[in-house]
């Protein structure tokens, strides 16, 4: 495959750093752009000496003029704690950031990929969620800056596609976990692992009967590149995630088991607009991209636990 120069926004974040690694390993040049709002230098530290890797501090709510062959737009805080910290900036990153990246792609006549989210489905009344489901989102609640920002970004991508014939690829990411997640961002997998490794009580919201499906990061990145490299008429939106569903309580028990922790479970009230159930329908990804997850929860958890064990050892 020919080598391309690829822009990854949010490249110093959890998913972005894995994507940068994957693209470099495939022989591409990577321009990683990040404002380090939630991203960390340590996520890409091991890539800094790579001849094909370049790191640029930049906020995508401001225009960017660079020359690249492809764009992956991942910049946006992803966890509720981070995206609710400055909700106006979250919406700006999703919407103005999308406009800037779409404008850049239009000027360069290159393909652009958008990291959208299962949050566009809100608290779904259809289960599992196919791409054709329009969602059930509260436009005024504390999660709206993220959910509606991402929905508007999708609208922009499809309007640039229809109006300017821009080549777009839109993926809807479901809960993903793995090494380089933030240790204290309130996301359930990292929360439970850190609490278990520290022997602290494991916090469960509600009764723990709400379900989630968790995709290991390596599987997800394989879905990204499969979509980006697919024929131009496959534009998405396309769900990428792992449809294996667990209750939050089952997850907590598995983490305790795999870490050998003595942590106890504690129960707290459910936060506002917390979805009760979330599972991807990935039949489109299977059919169109020949993609499906291969790493099961136990294996992924073991790799993630090893990462956090090392991280907490350094602290
Ligand atoms: N991890 C998941 O489970 C998940 C699920 C659904 C969607 N997503 C989407 O995937 C993308 C990456 O998520 P992640 O889990 O890696 O989160 P993350 O917070 O680790 O990464 C986001 C990155 O974007 C950067 N960023 C934020 N605002 C920016 C701005 N204005 N300009 C430049 N950089 C900016 C951050 O510093 C960070 O490095 C996000 O768009 C997120 O919405 C992730």
């Amino acid at each position: 495959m020919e080598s391309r120069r690829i822009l990854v926004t949010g490249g110093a974040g959890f998913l972005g750093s894995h994507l940068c690694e994957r693209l470099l390993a495939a022989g591409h040049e990577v321009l990683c752009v990040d404002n380090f709002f939630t991203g960390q230098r340590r996520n890409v530290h091991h890539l800094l000496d790579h001849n094909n890797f370049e790191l640029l501090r930049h906020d995508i709510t401001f225009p960017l003029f660079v020359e690249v062959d492809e764009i992956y737009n991942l910049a946006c805080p992803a966890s509720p704690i981070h995206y609710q910290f400055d909700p106006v900036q979250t919406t700006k990153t999703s919407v103005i950031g999308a406009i800037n990246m779409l404008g850049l792609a239009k000027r360069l006549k290159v393909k652009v990929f958008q990291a959208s989210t299962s949050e566009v489905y809100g608290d779904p009344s259809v289960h599992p969620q196919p791409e054709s489901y329009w969602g059930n989102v509260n436009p005024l609640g504390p999660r709206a800056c993220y959910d509606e920002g991402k929905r508007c970004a999708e609208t922009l991508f499809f309007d640039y596609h229809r109006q300017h014939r821009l080549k777009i690829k839109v993926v809807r990411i479901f809960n993903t976990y793995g090494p380089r997640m933030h240790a204290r961002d309130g996301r359930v997998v990292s929360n439970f692992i850190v609490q278990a490794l520290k022997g602290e009580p494991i916090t469960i919201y509600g009764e723990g009967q709400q379900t989630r499906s968790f995709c290991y990061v390596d599987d997800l990145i394989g879905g990204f590149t499969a979509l980006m490299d697919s024929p131009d008429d496959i534009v998405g939106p396309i769900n990428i995630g792992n449809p294996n569903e667990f209750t939050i309580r089952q997850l907590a028990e598995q983490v305790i088991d795999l870490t050998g922790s003595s942590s106890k479970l504690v129960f707290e009230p459910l936060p506002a607009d917390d979805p009760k159930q979330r599972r991807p329908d990935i039949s489109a990804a299977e059919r169109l991209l020949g993609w499906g997850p291969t790493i099961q929860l136990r294996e992924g958890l073991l790799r993630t636990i090893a990462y956090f064990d090392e991280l907490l050892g350094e602290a």
Side-chain angles (χ1 to χ4, degrees):
M1 188 192 291
E2 94 212 55
S3 167
R4 299 187 291 270
R5 185 166 155 73
I6 302 178
L7 167 61
V8 178
T9 76
F14 161 45
L15 300 181
S17 62
H18 286 274
L19 177 62
C20 290
E21 257 174 14
R22 185 74 65 97
L23 296 172
L24 287 169
H28 300 299
E29 276 184 57
V30 172
L31 172 58
C32 168
V33 164
D34 206 296
N35 70 349
F36 295 104
F37 176 58
T38 49
Q40 301 171 70
R41 244 164 228 290
R42 77 184 311 279
N43 288 346
V44 289
H45 191 255
H46 59 297
L47 304 177
L48 291 177
D49 286 338
H50 199 297
N51 282 341
N52 286 343
F53 183 76
E54 203 178 337
L55 176 62
L56 175 68
R57 179 189 282 266
H58 173 80
D59 180 331
I60 63 155
T61 62
F62 296 95
L64 177 67
F65 297 97
V66 290
E67 301 299 317
V68 290
D69 305 315
E70 248 173 33
I71 302 170
Y72 283 86
N73 186 34
L74 272 63
C76 186
S79 73
I81 289 181
H82 291 140
Y83 70 64
Q84 289 173 15
F85 174 78
D86 184 348
V88 172
Q89 175 67 12
T90 299
T91 305
K92 280 186 181 170
T93 294
S94 280
V95 177
I96 302 176
I99 291 171
N100 286 331
M101 288 308 118
L102 287 160
L104 179 64
K106 180 174 168 243
R107 180 174 73 78
L108 298 174
K109 300 187 174 54
V110 301
K111 220 182 325 187
V112 56
F113 173 106
Q114 168 67 357
S116 191
T117 170
S118 58
E119 301 289 343
V120 300
Y121 300 123
D123 190 359
S125 49
V126 169
H127 190 74
Q129 294 85 49
E131 290 84 351
S132 55
Y133 177 56
W134 289 354
N136 176 32
V137 172
N138 172 0
L140 305 178
R143 302 172 78 108
C145 58
Y146 183 74
D147 302 3
E148 297 289 20
K150 288 285 189 181
R151 286 168 68 94
C152 182
E154 285 197 9
T155 306
L156 285 161
F157 268 71
F158 279 84
D159 279 338
Y160 266 78
H161 177 61
R162 280 186 291 256
Q163 195 176 332
H164 300 298
R165 304 201 171 283
L166 195 68
K167 292 178 187 171
I168 60 161
K169 301 281 180 182
V170 177
V171 74
R172 289 182 179 156
I173 304 166
F174 283 68
N175 280 349
T176 301
Y177 70 102
R180 305 196 201 118
M181 296 181 84
H182 302 259
R184 287 255 172 230
D185 69 358
R187 283 194 274 189
V188 66
V189 177
S190 45
N191 252 10
F192 285 3
I193 291 177
V194 170
Q195 288 169 332
L197 288 172
K198 290 185 163 177
E200 293 171 356
I202 292 194
T203 328
I204 292 187
Y205 296 112
E207 308 269 296
Q209 291 311 311
Q210 66 275 42
T211 63
R212 294 290 183 275
S213 60
F214 304 103
C215 186
Y216 187 67
V217 61
D218 289 358
D219 277 336
L220 185 87
I221 302 298
F224 283 13
T225 53
L227 176 61
M228 195 59 148
D229 296 337
S230 65
D232 289 346
D233 61 332
I234 302 178
V235 295
I238 197 154
N239 290 338
I240 298 282
N242 189 328
N244 271 353
E245 205 173 4
F246 298 84
T247 67
I248 292 294
R249 190 178 181 129
Q250 283 171 322
L251 175 72
E253 286 165 355
Q254 187 149 7
V255 167
I256 289 179
D257 180 39
L258 294 175
T259 51
S261 172
S262 57
S263 294
K264 298 277 170 284
L265 304 184
V266 294
F267 295 87
E268 288 188 5
L270 272 177
D273 297 335
D274 193 49
K276 286 175 270 310
Q277 233 181 2
R278 181 72 64 60
R279 178 158 71 100
D281 175 335
I282 59 163
S283 48
E286 287 169 335
R287 190 178 70 253
L288 298 170
L289 308 177
W291 178 88
T294 58
I295 298 162
Q296 293 314 317
L297 188 66
R298 184 188 157 82
E299 174 57 27
L301 281 179
L302 283 170
R303 295 190 206 175
T304 313
I305 289 167
Y307 167 79
F308 279 111
D309 207 15
E310 196 183 319
L311 188 75
L312 295 177
E314 285 170 16

